[in-house]
């Protein structure tokens, strides 16, 4: 009560002084101190606003890996982290008071004694050099000038030397001292002040100059920082010219600390004797300054994700400002072990100067958390004055001296956007046909007699390379003649049989295959793909879609397969797992965003087929052939996946996944899709396969192998029917009878020894029972022997040569 009364009296006194009512006591000195005339004091001091609007200080946001400890980078416009006074060494508090306002704890915001002292000094020198600003007034000035909402002109006005500005500071300072304690004001000042070299606030300054927390500062260190506030650029100890000035200023502050009785003379002498040693380690800022140089692409993915979240503002400008000034603590999804494994794998045997980009993305099934993003490129803006980037691999661009995206780029090669529409992923897209067929009720055991060349009903341009000779019908062929024969989903997927999947696509409808891809997260970034994927654009005629002629990205492809590994639960890819605001509140925006898009049984059946290409199998799998059979042995855990290659090997792809990670890799030339370079798989150490399975292997180290759940029920074998016994009948009669029973009939070209007459039916493969509508092969007798035991015949066992054939696979 007494203090409030005294404050009112003091305010009235100051108002009177400034209004010229007590001229002899203070108005004349004040006018001379600030270089103002009495005419400028005519306006009533009492009418000035007395409530200081203090917007939140701009604070840096910090980005950590998934462990919550490993620093990735920071984002800031002002490098600042607010800390309470309890976490600032007492000597730092004492040093700032000694340097800027020795009577801080005696006055009430405006120091009349200081005003008189400043007047006397200025009169002696004949010019205004001292302004009598208290620490509270300096804080007010900093608040007024640092408000991010101010325009450039408003900020200039807030710091100009003028009567109005000084009166306003005094008015606010007096009001502030009624609202806050001295320690609260000191805390705010220490957190707001600029210390140079991008450091704002004592926490950032302690880190930049001494690499420590402010609670651990010593006398000589605190004195150095306190001395810099007056002129941080001039007194910069990291520069040759600023070094001696900073030393002098430090010693001045130490001497003042003795005068204020903060330290003893003995302590002062010891502190002065310490050699000035400072660091110049600015806090990393942005994705081009990540602590691990190879993590820039993940950081950039996070940055683009953030700019797309309406939670942080209605415009990208607002969202970026929130990131760089909001003081968020962000724990990302980056798995250090997986990311480091990916970084090693993509660069092994293939450096950053390669035209071919080896791109790998790893995602966690069931959460959508992006665990790794890596490519054999430097995340760096190429300096146009001293460019490192080579001319584009595209001859037309190179002729115009346009530089390419290697070795340096900041383009989102792995996630798409900013003109990056993706890359063809070849036969990895066969998965979408398989899913669409399973959703239609077609089981894994469904058989198709796959010819060397399949004449489809899809219409393409007359006489194009993809058309049957002399027609406008799409005629895909297999990569190898040995792949022809009867296949089911396991064998066709394992050996990547084009002439199985195109007729299967035709049966379920290309538009349904496209829908299955979209449900699994495939988007169409290129205008041509987007048009083809619509009804108006002829989606029902996109026969080559199953062979992966549409573009995708490694991240999208990894997430599509991850959805299947998660039993059909699609999760939006997300780079964060926790975001806290400066008060420690968690934001919901970091939560996984998932929904069931594919039935559990369909997903499990699709994964079961996908175990075949990578050399694995379940209790129900009937795998024959594998395009990447060494993956299972290298990863050492249950795996599933698929490889893919486009015509001419212009791109190559591989997906390999466990229950914990789905890793997709694509190798392409981002600068020139029509590259003349062949992108390899496992036949070369620079191919895409090693990059994928080494990433998965390293990510899985120390983690248990979890079995995929096999499918059950009709989705495996469908509706089984008995096969009529046609042994020793004529081929025509047997064919007719089998067709009447609802089977698709194929007559084998190879004759076998049998006790039936030559030319008649020796038996069928399979015999006994098979799927309704399935393929039954008639085996023709050559006579002269007994019929072999057919019980061991396996549907689709065509004797295909294991290993990766060239072409679409």
């Amino acid at each position: 009560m007494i203090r409030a009364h005294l404050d009112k009296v003091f305010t009235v006194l100051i108002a009177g002084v400034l209004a010229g009512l007590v001229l002899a006591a203070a108005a004349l000195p004040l006018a001379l101190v600030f270089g103002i005339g009495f005419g400028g004091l005519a306006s009533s001091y009492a009418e000035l606003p007395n409530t200081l609007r203090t917007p939140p200080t701009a604070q840096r946001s910090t980005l950590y890996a998934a462990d919550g400890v490993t620093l990735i980078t920071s984002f800031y416009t002002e490098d600042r982290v607010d800390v309470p006074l309890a976490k600032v060494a007492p000597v730092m508090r004492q040093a700032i008071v000694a340097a800027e306002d020795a009577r801080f704890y005696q006055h009430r915001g405006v120091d009349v004694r200081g005003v008189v002292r400043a007047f006397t000094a200025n009169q002696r020198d004949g010019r205004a050099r001292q302004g009598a600003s208290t620490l509270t007034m300096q804080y007010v000035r900093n608040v007024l000038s640092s408000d991010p909402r101010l325009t450039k002109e408003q900020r200039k006005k807030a710091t100009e030397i003028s009567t109005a500005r000084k009166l306003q500071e005094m008015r606010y300072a007096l009001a502030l001292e009624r609202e806050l304690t001295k320690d609260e004001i000191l805390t705010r000042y220490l957190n707001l002040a600029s210390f140079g070299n991008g450091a704002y606030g004592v926490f950032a300054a302690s880190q930049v100059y001494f690499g420590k927390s402010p609670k651990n500062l010593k006398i000589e260190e605190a004195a150095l920082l306190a001395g810099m506030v007056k002129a941080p650029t001039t007194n910069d100890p990291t520069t040759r010219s600023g070094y001696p000035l900073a030393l002098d200023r430090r010693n001045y502050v130490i001497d003042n600390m003795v005068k204020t009785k903060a330290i003893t003379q003995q302590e002062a002498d010891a502190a002065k004797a310490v050699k000035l040693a400072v660091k110049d380690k600015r806090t990393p800022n942005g994705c081009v300054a990540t602590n691990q140089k190879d993590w820039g692409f993940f950081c950039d993915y996070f940055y683009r994700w953030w700019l797309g979240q309406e939670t942080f503002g209605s415009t990208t400008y607002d969202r970026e400002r929130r990131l760089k000034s909001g003081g968020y603590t962000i724990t990302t999804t980056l798995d250090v072990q997986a990311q480091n494994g990916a970084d090693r794998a993509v660069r092994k045997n293939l450096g950053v100067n390669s035209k071919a980009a080896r791109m790998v993305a790893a995602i966690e099934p069931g959460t959508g958390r992006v665990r790794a993003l890596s490519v054999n490129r430097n995340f760096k803006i190429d300096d146009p004055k001293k460019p490192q980037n080579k001319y584009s691999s595209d001859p037309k661009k190179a002729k115009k001296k346009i530089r390419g995206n290697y070795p340096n780029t900041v383009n989102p090669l792995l996630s798409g956007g900013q003109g990056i529409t993706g890359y063809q992923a070849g036969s990895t897209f066969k998965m979408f046909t398989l899913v669409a067929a399973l959703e239609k009720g077609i089981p894994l055991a469904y058989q198709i007699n796959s010819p060397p060349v399949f004449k489809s009903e899809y219409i393409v341009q007359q006489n194009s390379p993809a058309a049957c000779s002399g027609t406008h019908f799409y005629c895909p062929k297999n990569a190898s003649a040995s792949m022809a024969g009867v296949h089911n989903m396991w064998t066709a997927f394992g050996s990547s049989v084009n002439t199985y999947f195109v007729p299967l696509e035709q049966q379920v409808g290309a538009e349904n295959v496209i829908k299955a891809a979209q449900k699994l997260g495939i988007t169409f970034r290129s205008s041509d793909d987007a048009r083809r994927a619509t009804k108006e654009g002829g989606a029902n005629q996109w026969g080559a879609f199953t062979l992966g002629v549409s573009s995708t990205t490694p991240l999208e492809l990894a997430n599509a397969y991850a959805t299947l590994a998660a039993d059909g639960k699609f999760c939006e890819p997300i780079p964060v797992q926790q975001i806290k605001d400066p008060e420690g509140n968690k934001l919901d925006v970091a939560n996984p965003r998932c929904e069931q898009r594919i039935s559990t049984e369909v997903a499990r059946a699709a994964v079961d087929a996908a175990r075949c290409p990578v050399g694995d199998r379940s209790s129900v799998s009937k795998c024959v052939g594998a395009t990447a059979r060494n993956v299972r042995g290298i990863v050492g855990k249950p795996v599933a996946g698929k490889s893919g290659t486009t015509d001419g090997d212009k791109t190559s792809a591989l997906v390999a996944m466990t229950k914990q990670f789905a890793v997709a890799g694509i190798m392409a030339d981002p600068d020139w899709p029509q590259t003349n370079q062949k992108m390899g798989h496992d036949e070369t150490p620079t191919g895409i396969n090693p990059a994928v399975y080494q990433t998965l292997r390293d990510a899985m180290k120390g983690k248990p192998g979890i079995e995929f759940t096999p499918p059950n029920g009709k989705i495996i074998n469908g509706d089984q029917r008995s096969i009529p016994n046609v042994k020793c009948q004529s081929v025509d009669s047997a064919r007719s009878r089998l067709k009447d029973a609802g089977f698709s009939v194929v007559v084998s070209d190879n004759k076998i020894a049998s006790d039936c007459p030559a030319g008649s039916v020796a038996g069928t493969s399979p015999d006994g029972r098979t799927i309704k509508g399935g393929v039954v092969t008639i085996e023709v007798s050559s006579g002269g022997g007994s019929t072999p035991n057919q019980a061991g015949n396996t549907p689709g066992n065509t004797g295909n040569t294991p290993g990766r054939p060239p072409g679409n696979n």
Side-chain angles (χ1 to χ4, degrees):
M1 181 72 74
I2 295 174
R3 179 181 174 183
H5 177 70
L6 290 174
D7 284 343
K8 287 181 180 179
V9 172
F10 189 69
T11 300
V12 171
L13 177 62
I14 291 295
V17 170
L18 296 177
L21 298 179
V22 196
L23 299 179
L28 181 59
L30 191 67
L32 293 173
V33 167
F34 299 123
I36 58 178
F38 291 113
L41 297 173
S43 60
S44 174
Y45 165 83
E47 292 178 0
L48 289 171
N50 65 355
T51 301
L52 178 66
R53 184 180 63 171
T54 55
T57 55
Q59 299 184 63
R60 76 171 182 239
S61 295
T62 308
L63 206 64
Y64 293 98
D67 58 16
V69 176
T70 305
L71 178 68
I72 297 176
T73 192
S74 304
F75 293 92
Y76 58 85
T77 50
E78 295 180 358
D79 182 13
R80 177 188 288 110
V81 176
D82 285 354
V83 289
L85 202 60
K87 292 188 177 182
V88 178
V91 291
M92 183 66 225
R93 309 174 213 167
Q94 295 160 347
I96 202 72
V97 169
E100 296 299 315
D101 187 0
R103 285 177 38 79
F104 173 66
Y105 283 97
Q106 281 75 54
H107 62 67
R108 288 190 171 88
V110 177
D111 187 2
V112 176
R113 185 185 299 179
V115 169
V116 174
R117 184 179 63 250
F119 164 68
T120 304
N122 292 341
Q123 286 292 91
R124 186 186 309 117
D125 289 353
R127 53 198 176 103
R129 297 180 61 188
Q130 296 187 22
S133 288
T134 64
L135 191 147
T136 309
M137 291 169 64
Q138 290 180 46
Y139 168 69
V140 169
R141 187 185 313 137
N142 285 341
V143 169
L144 293 174
S145 63
S146 64
D147 188 339
R149 291 167 291 192
L150 295 180
T151 64
K152 184 177 180 180
E153 194 61 34
Q154 288 172 324
R155 186 169 286 107
K156 181 180 179 182
K157 188 175 182 181
T159 56
E160 68 183 0
I161 300 175
S162 69
T163 304
R165 194 263 296 173
K166 185 61 67 173
L167 294 180
Q168 188 180 54
E169 284 178 14
M170 288 182 171
R171 177 69 164 163
Y172 280 143
L174 290 168
L176 202 63
E177 294 249 0
R178 291 196 299 271
E179 298 170 10
L180 303 175
T181 67
K182 288 288 186 179
D183 281 354
E184 287 173 335
I185 293 171
L186 182 60
T187 301
R188 292 189 179 194
Y189 180 87
L190 285 170
N191 283 319
L192 188 63
S194 170
F195 290 85
N197 280 301
Y200 290 81
V202 67
F203 183 88
S206 300
Q207 288 188 323
V208 169
Y209 294 108
F210 300 111
K212 61 170 62 175
S213 168
K215 68 181 179 181
N216 298 321
L217 290 170
K218 299 176 182 177
I219 294 173
E220 61 274 11
E221 295 168 338
L224 173 74
L225 295 183
M228 293 182 65
V229 171
K230 188 175 184 68
T233 302
T234 303
N235 298 332
D236 182 356
T238 67
T239 65
R240 180 176 296 180
S241 60
Y243 183 93
L245 297 175
L247 184 61
D248 289 344
R249 182 70 178 165
R250 179 196 72 164
N251 293 341
Y252 163 80
V253 174
I254 291 174
D255 288 340
N256 275 8
M257 291 175 75
V258 174
K259 293 177 183 178
T260 60
K261 298 184 173 13
I263 60 175
T264 66
Q265 186 63 52
Q266 185 178 3
E267 288 174 319
D269 293 340
K272 287 182 182 180
V274 176
K275 184 178 179 181
L276 182 65
V278 295
K279 300 178 184 294
D280 183 13
K281 189 177 181 181
R282 291 201 179 199
T283 305
N285 190 10
C287 294
V288 294
T290 52
N291 272 354
Q292 295 285 337
K293 66 177 183 179
D294 300 330
W295 294 2
F297 291 96
F298 180 94
C299 175
D300 182 62
Y301 174 66
F302 156 78
Y303 177 73
R304 293 171 188 274
W305 174 87
W306 180 285
L307 293 186
Q309 304 305 307
E310 293 184 359
T311 299
F312 303 113
S314 58
T315 67
T316 55
Y317 172 81
D318 292 334
R319 297 163 198 165
E320 182 176 40
R321 188 177 64 177
R322 286 280 292 276
L323 175 62
K324 294 182 177 180
S325 64
Y328 296 97
T329 300
I330 303 157
T331 303
T332 71
T333 57
L334 183 145
D335 182 295
V336 174
Q337 181 175 309
Q339 181 68 49
N340 286 341
D343 292 335
R344 286 191 299 268
V346 297
R347 289 169 176 78
K348 190 175 182 180
N349 302 312
L350 197 69
V352 295
N353 288 302
S354 170
K355 297 176 183 178
R358 243 182 182 177
M359 300 166 282
V360 167
I363 201 163
E364 182 177 84
T367 66
R369 289 171 174 161
V370 180
R371 295 305 191 187
L373 291 172
S374 191
V375 58
N376 59 324
R377 295 285 191 270
N378 299 322
F379 188 82
K380 181 180 177 182
I381 299 172
D382 198 45
D383 186 352
K385 295 180 180 178
K386 295 181 179 179
Q388 293 179 314
N389 281 8
K390 312 295 187 296
Y391 288 125
S392 174
S393 53
D394 183 338
K396 292 181 180 178
K397 293 180 180 178
K399 191 174 182 180
K400 297 178 181 178
K401 295 188 176 181
I402 298 174
R403 296 188 180 273
N405 281 291
Y406 63 99
N408 305 321
T409 186
V410 292
N411 285 331
L413 300 181
L414 295 131
S415 55
Q418 197 176 320
I420 304 296
T421 59
Y423 325 90
Q424 293 184 4
S427 291
T428 60
F429 269 45
K430 286 172 181 168
M431 174 57 81
F432 309 132
T433 302
L434 193 149
V435 167
L438 292 168
E439 288 185 316
K440 289 287 187 182
I442 299 174
L444 288 166
Y446 185 69
Q447 297 171 318
I448 293 175
N449 184 35
S450 305
V453 178
F454 174 69
K455 183 179 180 180
S456 77
E457 297 174 4
Y458 294 119
I459 297 173
V460 295
Q461 187 175 348
Q462 180 88 13
N463 294 324
S464 75
C468 296
S469 180
T471 76
H472 59 206
F473 293 109
Y474 177 49
C475 276
K477 60 183 179 180
N478 293 319
S480 170
S482 66
M483 298 167 73
V486 177
H487 287 278
N488 56 35
M489 290 189 189
W490 289 291
T491 67
F493 204 65
S495 296
S496 200
V497 182
N498 295 343
T499 59
Y500 179 94
F501 280 95
V502 173
L504 185 63
E505 178 188 35
Q506 186 171 281
Q507 184 171 340
V508 300
E511 65 277 16
N512 292 318
V513 174
I514 293 168
K515 288 177 183 176
Q518 290 173 315
K519 283 194 289 185
L520 291 169
I522 299 299
T523 59
F524 301 103
R525 289 184 174 84
S526 82
S527 55
D528 286 344
D529 288 349
R531 179 185 57 81
R532 287 298 308 270
T534 64
K535 182 179 179 180
E536 298 74 19
N540 63 339
Q541 282 293 321
W542 203 354
F545 182 79
T546 190
L547 304 186
V549 297
S550 173
S551 295
T552 187
T553 65
L555 181 59
E556 234 176 44
L557 190 60
N559 200 43
Y561 276 70
T563 301
L564 299 172
D567 288 341
K569 184 168 75 172
F570 170 86
C571 298
E572 179 184 319
I574 188 169
V576 294
Q577 56 191 41
Q578 182 177 275
I579 300 177
K580 289 183 179 180
D581 65 17
E583 287 72 43
N585 302 310
K586 295 181 182 179
L587 306 185
D588 291 340
V589 70
N591 296 335
R593 306 166 191 178
C594 305
E595 63 182 21
Q596 195 74 26
R597 290 194 178 178
I598 303 292
S599 76
T600 298
E601 280 306 306
V602 165
R604 288 176 177 175
V607 170
D608 204 66
R611 300 184 76 166
C612 297
V614 291
D616 202 359
R617 62 189 303 167
S618 77
S619 58
V620 300
S621 301
K622 298 177 177 63
C623 300
V624 174
T627 57
R629 71 169 58 250
N630 61 344
V631 174
R632 174 64 173 86
I634 291 169
V635 175
K637 309 286 170 69
V639 291
K642 182 74 180 76
S643 61
T645 310
T646 53
D647 288 339
D649 293 353
K650 295 183 186 301
T651 66
S652 58
L654 176 66
V655 185
M657 61 185 178
T658 62
K659 289 292 287 184
Q660 298 99 316
F661 293 94
V663 180
I666 299 178
M667 193 166 173
D669 184 343
D671 293 347
W672 189 30
Q674 300 306 316
T675 178
N676 52 18
Q677 181 177 352
K678 289 185 178 294
M679 307 296 169
H681 275 271
D682 222 9
E683 69 280 6
T684 169
T686 60
I688 192 60
N689 287 24
V692 172
Y693 56 61
Q694 288 169 12
T695 296
L696 184 57
R697 176 200 64 195
D698 291 352
M700 287 297 297
K701 283 180 180 176
K703 297 177 176 63
I706 302 174
E707 269 293 348
F708 295 102
T709 304
N712 59 54
K714 284 190 174 182
I715 202 164
I716 300 173
N717 293 311
D719 188 3
Q720 292 282 305
R721 297 295 175 89
S722 296
I723 300 172
N725 184 357
V726 293
K727 183 178 178 181
C728 296
Q729 294 181 13
S730 70
V731 171
D732 288 342
S733 174
R735 181 190 288 113
S736 178
R737 190 175 174 192
L738 291 169
K739 282 185 175 181
D740 289 344
F743 298 107
S744 177
V745 182
V746 172
V747 179
S748 175
D749 292 332
N750 299 321
K751 295 184 179 181
I752 62 174
S754 165
D755 55 7
C756 292
S760 67
V761 176
T764 62
S765 176
D767 64 349
R769 296 174 66 82
T770 193
I771 182 175
K772 177 184 177 182
V775 176
V776 175
T777 301
I778 293 175
E779 296 175 330
V780 181
S781 173
S782 62
S786 60
T787 303
N789 180 7
Q790 295 176 315
N793 289 355
T794 302
N797 189 350
T798 60
N800 292 340
T801 303
R804 188 193 72 83
N808 288 88
N809 65 84

